[in-house]
Amino acid sequence: MGKVYLLDCTLRDGGYVNDWRFGEETIKGFGRKIANTGIEMYEVGFLKGEEYDPDRSIFPDIQSISGVITPKFEGMKYVAMLDMSAPIPLERITPFDGTSIDGIRIIFKKDKIDEAYKYCERIQELGYFISVNFVGTDLYTDKEFIEGIERFNKLHPFAMSIVDTFGLIKRKHFLRLAYLADSNMADGTALAYHAHNNLQQAFGNAEALVEMNLKRDLIIDACVFGMGRGAGNLNLELFAEYMNENYDTHYKIKPMLEIMDEYLNDIYRTKFWGYSLPLYLSATNNSHPNYAIYLAEKNTLTVKAFDELLQSIPDEDKAKFSKEKAEQYYRSYQENYINDSDVVNTLSEQLADKNVLVLAPGKTLSSHADAIRNKIDDNTIVISANFIASDFNPDFVFSSNMRRYIKIQGKTDARCIITSNMKEATSYDVMVNFASYASKYSEIIDNSVLMLLKLLASAGVKNVMIAGMDGYTESQDIAYFSSELQFDFSKEANERNALISKELINIRKTINFEFITPTIYDI
């Protein structure tokens, strides 16, 4: 059996969680503590970008890394990662002199293999060892994978890596890839494995790879605390303990736990990573995990809808995430066009000559309840947005969010108006066309109050009172009328408020409204 190396990539792959903004002291302290664990390889960060920020584990050149790893610890190899989607100019990679990193790990997708080969060749000439990392290894055909291995064999790299980019490779498939790699890689090249944990396969696959007892050396990538985008990565502390118990290694676990306590816990509390339903769905649909993260933040899709939407994304787009495409597919799924002209005409008749009060779920509904009730008389139609508002006996409930409507349908005597994106609704009174009232701004595309105001304008309503539209705050716990309605938009509160203000200004051109409870929207 060859030697098994553990490689820590917390500051690099874990950096997707916090935009690599660990802080200068943490970056330096992390390196010292990780050296004390006895692991063999340490990935300091990414080689990319134009400018150096000492608070981020992103480095525009080789020299900028030197300051955070000095003094280097004997016995540990220092590496950085370079992405062929945006490689730094070769002139920034100065010849190896032992003062900075020892090696560079190059990641590339299938369409960049030619550029990657030439780049790797030049890096070796500069004196660094290289690791060749096949991004999305499971997306290669057997023929493509073997041809890629055989091509890079000519360079005799230090390592080649199976990369489970989407966290979906299960053990049977993984072992087949490992056998395929081992059978075709040149002698003396280590086989590496980089896992993502969307289907909780990371530990089992790494364990299986070690237990294959291959003659060649192995490299297992892992992160302290499993830190990583979405579902995270293989936990370094857990796999190091497994190695200690089964292979007579002597990794020190305590420094890893200190890293968790001193550097990562605070990040974890505000930027959670770990197993989740959206990441599971992204993996089972062979799609980039960023689709799951982006769609989950909207908090509008049920499991069924989430799954259907991911299934609808063409295969050629699933592997390459972009925010624009994610929004395009989300909007397309949500629109589900229907002709609602008859519904709007009926609403127009029902609301003619009535005062309309719109209730949003802000906390001022409680603090100003009496003042709100004083506005309600026999000529007032009360419409609540995405919640029941039973304290105010609404005549209608308007909903644009299936997750919210699940808590509404069948539980109110109010008439229910829903939008056409809600394909799973089983009981409602009328449905209106989602696209007709959706915002052009993706962040607030289905804001229920904005959509309701546009619907009322279409129905010819002239004047509306609004209560409970307080605005988003950076403190999640003071935002909502009921804890059941809680959803954390604190990170993008200012952006959402600004976009909603823009929409309100435009809507006011077609319908007059006034806020009867305090609000941050100054229009």
Side-chain angles (χ1 to χ4, degrees), residues 140-147 173 176-177 180:
Y140 285 73
T141 65
D142 288 357
K143 184 173 184 289
E144 289 171 334
F145 189 35
I146 293 171
E147 288 176 347
H173 184 191
R176 191 179 67 80
L177 288 172
L180 202 62

Side-chain angles (χ1 to χ4, degrees), residues 263-279:
Y263 303 138
L264 306 184
N265 261 331
D266 287 343
I267 302 173
Y268 180 75
R269 279 192 286 267
T270 58
K271 300 180 184 295
F272 170 80
W273 62 86
Y275 180 75
S276 70
L277 182 55
L279 271 299

Side-chain angles (χ1 to χ4, degrees), residues 28-271:
K28 292 179 178 179
F30 187 103
R32 291 190 292 268
K33 284 189 180 292
I34 206 69
N36 290 330
T37 66
I39 68 162
E40 294 83 4
M41 303 185 75
Y42 168 42
E43 190 170 60
V44 188
F46 257 122
L47 272 171
K48 67 177 181 178
E50 298 295 328
E51 297 182 0
Y52 175 53
D53 181 343
D55 289 326
R56 300 179 76 214
S57 50
I58 299 285
F59 306 93
D61 50 45
I62 294 293
Q63 294 95 320
S64 58
I65 301 177
S66 301
V68 301
I69 62 175
T70 303
K72 294 172 69 174
F73 285 75
E74 187 177 350
M76 188 168 73
K77 296 181 184 295
Y78 293 78
V79 298
M81 178 162 279
L82 187 146
D83 187 347
M84 287 306 301
S85 297
I88 64 172
L90 278 165
E91 54 265 27
R92 294 195 205 158
I93 302 178
T94 52
F96 175 76
D97 64 5
T99 63
S100 187
I101 54 174
D102 305 300
I104 298 176
R105 306 211 299 163
I106 297 89
I107 57 173
F108 55 89
K109 296 175 182 175
K110 282 198 295 184
D111 60 351
K112 295 288 185 180
I113 195 167
D114 291 335
E115 296 95 320
Y117 184 87
K118 295 174 183 176
Y119 205 98
C120 288
E121 192 173 33
R122 180 65 182 130
I123 290 173
Q124 280 191 323
E125 291 172 356
L126 291 168
Y128 300 91
F129 71 78
I130 60 170
S131 173
V132 176
N133 293 27
F134 295 87
V135 168
T137 308
D138 55 301
L139 299 176
Y140 285 73
T141 65
D142 288 357
K143 184 173 184 289
E144 289 171 334
F145 189 35
I146 293 171
E147 288 176 347
I149 291 171
E150 290 177 339
R151 184 173 189 183
F152 282 99
N153 277 341
K154 299 173 185 176
L155 297 180
H156 300 285
F158 181 81
M160 294 191 198
S161 182
I162 296 171
V163 183
D164 186 6
T165 305
F166 300 153
L168 55 80
I169 303 178
K170 295 181 179 179
R171 181 177 293 208
K172 183 177 180 180
H173 184 191
F174 173 73
L175 289 175
R176 191 179 67 80
L177 288 172
Y179 279 119
L180 202 62
D182 181 53
S183 299
N184 290 278
M185 287 167 56
D187 292 342
T189 298
L191 173 59
Y193 171 49
H194 182 83
H196 289 118
N197 222 5
N198 295 8
L199 294 180
Q200 299 294 285
Q201 298 295 305
F203 191 99
N205 285 348
E207 180 183 45
L209 179 59
V210 173
E211 291 178 355
M212 288 173 71
N213 293 315
L214 300 180
K215 292 182 180 179
R216 71 177 66 249
D217 292 345
L218 303 176
I219 300 173
I220 306 295
D221 290 10
C223 295
V224 178
F225 208 177
M227 186 180 185
R229 174 175 49 193
N233 301 306
L234 175 63
N235 290 62
L236 180 64
E237 66 280 1
L238 297 182
F239 203 75
E241 189 170 11
Y242 159 79
M243 292 295 296
N244 286 348
E245 291 178 353
N246 295 279
Y247 292 94
D248 197 30
T249 55
H250 302 282
Y251 298 114
K252 296 177 182 177
I253 308 300
K254 185 178 178 181
M256 301 180 195
L257 303 183
E258 290 174 349
I259 287 172
M260 293 165 63
D261 181 44
E262 296 175 23
Y263 303 138
L264 306 184
N265 261 331
D266 287 343
I267 302 173
Y268 180 75
R269 279 192 286 267
T270 58
K271 300 180 184 295

